[in-house]
Amino acid sequence: MDEPAGRRVRLVRMSDLKDDVPVWAWSYDGKGRIPLGALALFAGRPGAGKSTGGRWIAASATTGTLAGHWEGKPVNIAYIAAEESSKYVVKPGLRAAGADMDRVLIPTVDIGGEEVRFLSSHDMADLTDLMLEHEVKLVVVDPLMSTIGSKTDINRNNEVRSLVEPWAKLAETIDGVVLGIAHLNKSGNGDVVAGINGSSAFGEVARSVFGFAKDPNSDEGDRIMSQEKNSIGEEDLALTYRIESKEVVTDSGMTAEVGRFVIIGNSDRSVGDVLRDAGKGGGDGEASELDGAEGWLSDYLEQQGATPSKEVKAAAAKERFSERTIKRAAKTLGVAIEAKGFPRVTYWSLPQSGQGDHYTCELGPTGPTGDDQHKQVGPTGEKTQSGQGTVVGPTGANQCQKCGEPLGRSGKCVACIVADASGVPA
């Protein structure tokens, strides 16, 4: 009686193995950057723009405009977003990047009718079958860490590797690419691959790793993307990019402004250089943490628009920013603060300097209902009464007449509001 097939060791003669040169899913400057059949990582601290960069790669693949093997051959992609809203962030972001939405598929997992998070330990077989059936060539996982079960010790290499390797196997099976988004820790040694949050298995299994960081030396908000690992190619890529605001029309007919990844040119510094310089700045890393919080908050409000402060703080907490740090970041950025409704809800939004008549806010006397009353002064100095606060218009300038600071998007003086609230935003 034959024994059932099981685990066994066998030998393959090297002369029977067919070798080849790599095929590149993405090429830049005439060199291969991401090979087919591989796991690639976009890694950076919160607010660096790595997710926006991932949407640029994804959108370009759907339209056949990504330089490399798929250029001129649009492909289907799958997008797994565990931390960002597909409705409010991912789809508008893909719109801004010019994606063909008919080629974007969203894998979901449900148990008993309830949607649950995708786990590589449980759902990879089903996902693989679906990717083959729909001829998907690129799978974006944002963040890759979200597919690791909560019971896993993310710092144990053997546990994490067993859950990361299936993504590399999926890339081989579909003859495509899995692009994982990853966060960096606060290490100041400049090693991006080793600095990926959790086990070293993430960087070890990936064939290509790219770092993303804000350029502290840029006055234009430039950022840096550099290739920190390329197992079968060169690691000489360092680019300057920006997250530019683009207006898109959603399915509801409403207009939204979202970030778009735009490459400006080559950079003479890598992300490792930026992180090493930041690491020299202080013992406790507080300055670097504040920089990260400012970048994250700027990106978040740019994508979301005016958002209740409670929701901003909750989202910041998920990124491991303390409330104290995110308040300091808001103060540094000059975040505009506006209270609406009853009971009052405080909204945060990015300041916006525009043209024409502007108004700024000084809290007036408390009214009979207990609400702060405002007085409104127009550009010519005339005063009108409203029930929301004191609004003072400049005489042709875009600064507050009281303190001289620039006005926020709402036309109110953020500096005055912040000062009134004991030096920190609500």
Side-chain angles (χ1 to χ4, degrees):
M1 183 176 179
D2 294 336
E3 293 184 2
R7 185 183 180 96
R8 65 189 181 94
V9 177
R10 63 189 182 91
L11 297 176
V12 176
R13 198 176 299 278
M14 184 63 77
S15 57
D16 293 332
L17 182 67
K18 305 299 182 183
D19 54 354
D20 203 348
V21 296
V23 177
W24 299 99
W26 180 42
S27 301
Y28 192 91
D29 197 23
K31 299 177 182 179
R33 304 302 174 181
I34 300 178
L36 287 183
L39 169 66
L41 295 180
F42 279 8
R45 291 178 182 165
K50 55 191 178 295
S51 293
T52 310
R55 286 191 278 273
W56 168 72
I57 289 282
S60 300
T62 67
T63 57
T65 56
L66 185 68
H69 182 65
W70 299 324
E71 188 168 9
K73 298 178 289 185
V75 298
N76 295 337
I77 74 156
Y79 204 109
I80 300 174
E83 293 184 352
E84 293 182 319
S85 167
S86 295
K87 181 178 181 180
Y88 298 114
V89 178
V90 177
K91 186 170 183 178
L94 288 170
R95 281 189 190 277
D100 179 350
M101 298 301 176
D102 287 335
R103 290 189 174 276
V104 181
L105 304 173
I106 307 174
T108 60
V109 181
D110 68 82
I111 299 177
E114 293 293 328
E115 187 170 335
V116 297
R117 182 166 292 191
F118 183 98
L119 296 176
S120 61
S121 58
H122 292 69
D123 307 310
M124 191 60 74
D126 287 346
L127 180 67
T128 301
D129 290 342
L130 287 170
M131 299 300 94
L132 291 172
E133 178 184 348
H134 293 275
E135 299 182 327
V136 169
K137 293 298 182 181
L138 171 66
V139 181
V140 180
V141 190
D142 187 3
L144 189 64
M145 181 72 80
S146 69
T147 68
I148 307 298
S150 59
K151 295 182 179 180
T152 303
D153 184 344
I154 62 171
N155 295 303
R156 293 179 65 88
N157 188 288
N158 60 333
E159 290 188 36
V160 174
R161 178 178 284 272
S162 67
L163 300 173
V164 175
E165 286 181 337
W167 289 112
K169 181 63 177 177
L170 173 64
E172 292 180 11
T173 302
I174 66 175
D175 192 27
V177 172
V178 172
L179 175 60
I181 309 299
H183 297 304
L184 290 178
N185 59 36
K186 297 177 183 177
S187 171
N189 63 10
D191 190 333
V192 173
V193 178
I196 295 172
N197 269 354
S199 163
S200 60
F202 289 101
E204 292 167 0
V205 175
R207 289 286 177 262
S208 297
V209 179
F210 299 81
F212 290 73
K214 294 176 63 177
D215 184 357
N217 297 331
S218 172
D219 295 328
E220 289 77 32
D222 291 348
R223 304 163 191 235
I224 296 173
M225 169 188 180
S226 60
Q227 184 142 28
E228 303 293 329
K229 177 181 178 180
N230 192 350
S231 295
I232 50 179
E234 295 189 36
E235 298 173 357
D236 59 350
L237 181 68
L239 300 173
T240 298
Y241 69 96
R242 292 176 187 165
I243 305 299
E244 296 184 350
S245 180
K246 181 174 176 59
E247 193 174 88
V248 299
V249 179
T250 65
D251 291 321
S252 67
M254 302 295 290
T255 299
E257 288 190 4
V258 295
R260 179 178 62 169
F261 182 88
V262 178
I263 294 175
I264 304 300
N266 294 323
S267 170
D268 58 1
R269 303 175 73 217
S270 70
V271 172
D273 294 332
V274 172
L275 298 181
R276 276 188 291 272
D277 291 344
K280 298 174 185 177
D284 61 2
E286 186 174 3
S288 298
E289 181 180 8
L290 181 59
D291 287 342
E294 290 173 18
W296 175 85
L297 183 59
S298 177
D299 284 352
Y300 181 86
L301 292 179
E302 185 174 74
Q303 293 176 353
Q304 302 287 349
T307 306
S309 60
K310 184 177 181 180
E311 294 183 15
V312 178
K313 294 170 189 175
K318 291 182 179 179
E319 299 292 346
R320 301 182 181 178
F321 292 121
S322 67
E323 183 170 330
R324 175 178 176 272
T325 299
I326 209 65
K327 284 183 175 182
R328 290 180 61 208
K331 183 177 180 180
T332 304
L333 291 171
V335 166
I337 306 162
E338 185 175 5
K340 301 178 181 179
F342 183 84
R344 295 177 69 181
V345 176
T346 302
Y347 286 78
W348 286 11
S349 60
L350 288 178
Q352 178 177 328
S353 57
Q355 299 178 344
D357 297 342
H358 289 264
Y359 297 89
T360 183
C361 172
E362 297 172 0
L363 293 178
T366 301
T369 63
D371 293 334
D372 291 316
Q373 293 181 333
H374 290 232
K375 296 178 182 178
Q376 191 173 39
V377 181
T380 58
E382 71 278 10
K383 294 187 177 182
T384 60
Q385 188 72 24
S386 76
Q388 302 300 319
T390 302
V391 184
V392 181
T395 55
N398 291 336
Q399 290 85 25
C400 172
Q401 289 186 334
K402 181 179 179 181
C403 66
E405 292 295 322
L407 301 180
R409 175 184 296 180
S410 64
K412 299 177 181 179
C413 177
V414 177
C416 289
I417 296 174
V418 170
D420 186 77
S422 302
V424 293

